[in-house]
Amino acid sequence: MTSKAKSNLKGTVGRALNATPLYEQVKERVMHLILDGTWPEGHILPAETELARQLGVSFGTARQALQILTKEGVLLRKPRIGTVVTGRTPHHTLDRFYKHYRLHNTKNELINTQTVMKSIQIRPASADEARCFRCDESIDLISLVRVRVHDSRPVMIDHFLIPEHFVPGFPRAAADVPPLLLNHLRDEYGLRIRAVREALRADIAGPEDISLLDLNASDGPTPILVIDDVCFDSKNQALLTASHRALSDDYRYVNEVQ
């Protein structure tokens, strides 16, 4: 293992007083190394005793984390070889839904994006929107527009709608909205997503897409991949809707079902 990978491992799990169980910290650290390409497909992990030593955790803690990742299909145990990265990652799980969007490059690598909140406004719900949230038509919605940037290039626009009465005291300025929006809704308001219904469709870039994605209108029509989400809680109550508009020339949306 490289010294950089060793440093990355130690850096997260070695932090004191983290409320997250140690085995979950180890699991997240390993997943991060896989997702950022430090440990690519086919990479052989250190032996569990060595991994535990590098992380400063017990052998049992390291083994528990690797067993979970093996069960999820992320790792594979090969006799006489060791534990190997499979190249399959559970991006479709809700845990990943909170932390990563499933946008990949043409090499099938998950990309990490930065988010820029562009606008926030309060507006009345339409009849269809009120029906979706099982509310009367007098409710107001918080409408958010956000752009995801990869390697300094805007690649996706996110539109979110959240009933205002679900999130009292929600920031009114775009700059004050936390970048990890779903985590904020969960931690601050108890809005915990248990299921997501997605619908995919194709579209042509419109004026907003051209502006926010820095497209050149003179290049002709640009195809856009649209992913429409409805996020539900455990009682099947819709908590928010999202519509994502992504470039499709150098990017792919990948959802693996196991």
Side-chain angles (χ1 to χ4, degrees), residues 144-165:
L144 303 169
V145 179
R146 186 176 72 178
V147 173
R148 293 179 181 267
V149 178
H150 177 246
D151 286 344
S152 301
R153 180 190 184 190
V155 297
M156 177 185 281
I157 305 169
D158 299 326
H159 294 86
F160 296 98
L161 291 176
I162 311 167
E164 186 184 24
H165 65 279

Side-chain angles (χ1 to χ4, degrees), residues 168-194:
F170 192 85
R172 290 298 189 262
D176 296 332
V177 178
L180 295 178
L181 177 62
L182 301 184
N183 295 60
H184 179 69
L185 296 177
R186 178 192 62 198
D187 299 339
E188 189 69 22
Y189 301 102
L191 300 181
R192 188 173 295 275
I193 296 170
R194 295 298 189 188

Side-chain angles (χ1 to χ4, degrees), residues 51-112:
L51 187 65
R53 185 191 67 77
Q54 293 173 8
L55 295 173
V57 299
S58 69
F59 169 80
T61 297
R63 165 161 282 194
Q64 185 176 5
L66 297 188
Q67 284 177 336
I68 293 172
L69 291 172
T70 300
K71 185 177 180 180
E72 291 179 348
V74 176
L75 302 175
L76 177 66
R77 296 184 184 274
K78 291 187 174 182
R80 297 184 297 278
I81 295 178
T83 302
V84 180
V85 177
T86 64
R88 296 171 56 203
T89 48
H91 305 317
H92 60 289
T93 66
L94 283 175
D95 179 56
R96 299 291 154 215
F97 186 79
Y98 275 99
K99 299 173 184 175
H100 304 279
Y101 204 77
R102 298 179 291 278
L103 203 61
H104 293 60
N105 60 22
T106 53
K107 296 180 181 179
N108 202 34
E109 299 167 333
L110 179 72
I111 66 170
N112 292 311

Side-chain angles (χ1 to χ4, degrees), residues 170-240:
F170 192 85
R172 290 298 189 262
D176 296 332
V177 178
L180 295 178
L181 177 62
L182 301 184
N183 295 60
H184 179 69
L185 296 177
R186 178 192 62 198
D187 299 339
E188 189 69 22
Y189 301 102
L191 300 181
R192 188 173 295 275
I193 296 170
R194 295 298 189 188
V196 181
R197 181 181 299 150
E198 295 183 328
L200 276 65
R201 55 190 172 91
D203 201 358
I204 296 296
E208 182 188 54
D209 302 312
I210 292 172
S211 174
L212 294 181
L213 296 177
D214 288 344
L215 302 175
N216 189 342
S218 63
D219 291 338
T222 300
I224 295 291
L225 173 65
V226 184
I227 307 106
D228 295 320
D229 297 339
V230 182
C231 301
F232 299 91
D233 66 10
S234 59
K235 297 181 180 178
N236 206 37
Q237 167 64 51
L239 301 177
L240 66 102

